[in-house]
Structures are given as C-alpha cells and as structure tokens.
Amino acid sequence: QPYPGGMRIGQEEIDAVVSVMKSHAMTRYGGPAPEGKYFADKFEDAFKEKMGVKHATAVSSGTASLISALVALGIGPGDEVVVPSFTYVATAEAAAVLGAIPIICDVDESLTMDPEDLERRISPHTKAVIPVHMRGAPCQMDKIMDIAK
C-alpha cells in the first residue's frame, strides 16, 4: 500500500515529471528555459495565483523551506522554536542551523503536537512554533494558533 499522498499520483503528475525530464532543464538556470520560462518559475506563478499572494519561492526541499521560513521570521541565535517530538529531524535542524534552540514538545495520540504540552513549553524566548501534520492526521491548529498568538 503506498504512503498516503502517493496514492494520489496519477497520469497528470507523471506526465508533468516526464515533460521536465524531456526538456533537459533539470534546474532553474541549467540552460535555455523551455518555452521561454523555467518550470520552477511557472510553478511559482501558478502557486501565487492559486494562493492569492504576491510572492512564492520554490526551494529544493522541505528542509530548505523550513530554514527559509525561519529566516523570513528573523529567527536567530538564542531564540526558541517549539517542534514536535515525532517529526523528521529537519524540523529541529532548521532551527539549530540558525543558532536557535529547538524545544521539544510532546505529541498526542494522533502523533501530532499536543497543545497542552505546547503551552508548557512556551517561554519568553519562544519565537516560533512548527506544528507538523502526521500521516494524514492534522494538528489541532485552532488550539495551537491560540497558544502561539
């Protein structure tokens, strides 16, 4: 049985990947842009339109996206970033790379951030909270957002 999400890969997604490979433009700046625009640029434009925002930046990985988000928030040395105890290591690494201190929060029976423990982990040095939805189970975002505010 494929991992959740993998079950949603259809012919449209396969065709999109194949078209990138056939273009020989495997990176954003790796030669002439197919049809005058790189796939990453097209993706960013489509994403901006779908989300109704002015800016979007495609990055190489989830790790790069977490680091970019924390940099955009001004997270740095000595800041605390609360992360769940059950997650991929990059969640905590993104904070540590910037000199921030990852603060580990317990998870509940859904394997996502426990809002009650989150409340105990907040300190005057807390600058960010990174909830992680796990295997199709969403975090209790309403409670988490109330605490984070």
Side-chain angles (χ1 to χ4, degrees):
Q1 187 72 324
Y3 191 83
M7 295 177 286
R8 299 182 67 144
I9 295 173
Q11 193 59 47
E12 181 181 4
E13 291 79 15
I14 293 167
D15 291 345
V17 170
V18 170
S19 72
V20 171
M21 295 175 76
K22 284 183 175 180
S23 77
H24 301 283
M26 300 298 289
T27 63
R28 185 185 304 239
Y29 306 111
E35 300 171 23
K37 201 164 197 181
Y38 290 102
F39 290 99
D41 296 323
K42 292 177 189 178
F43 173 77
E44 289 170 348
D45 290 344
F47 189 81
K48 287 187 288 192
E49 184 176 332
K50 176 104 174 145
M51 295 292 115
V53 298
K54 292 181 182 179
H55 307 284
T57 302
V59 295
S60 62
S61 66
T63 303
S65 68
L66 288 170
I67 293 169
S68 297
L70 292 175
V71 167
L73 292 170
I75 304 299
D79 294 336
E80 292 180 357
V81 178
V82 184
V83 301
S85 59
F86 187 67
T87 184
Y88 187 67
V89 68
T91 310
E93 279 180 344
V97 158
L98 299 176
I101 303 162
I103 303 297
I104 308 300
C105 177
D106 287 338
V107 296
D108 60 20
E109 61 280 345
S110 71
L111 300 178
T112 65
M113 187 174 277
D114 180 352
E116 290 179 21
D117 193 55
L118 170 60
E119 203 151 22
R120 291 189 286 271
R121 305 292 174 184
I122 300 293
S123 82
H125 303 286
T126 304
K127 300 295 184 226
V129 175
I130 305 178
V132 177
H133 309 297
M134 191 56 64
R135 293 196 50 91
C139 299
Q140 298 180 53
M141 289 305 296
D142 290 341
K143 290 180 181 177
I144 290 169
M145 291 301 293
D146 287 344
I147 294 164
K149 289 178 184 175

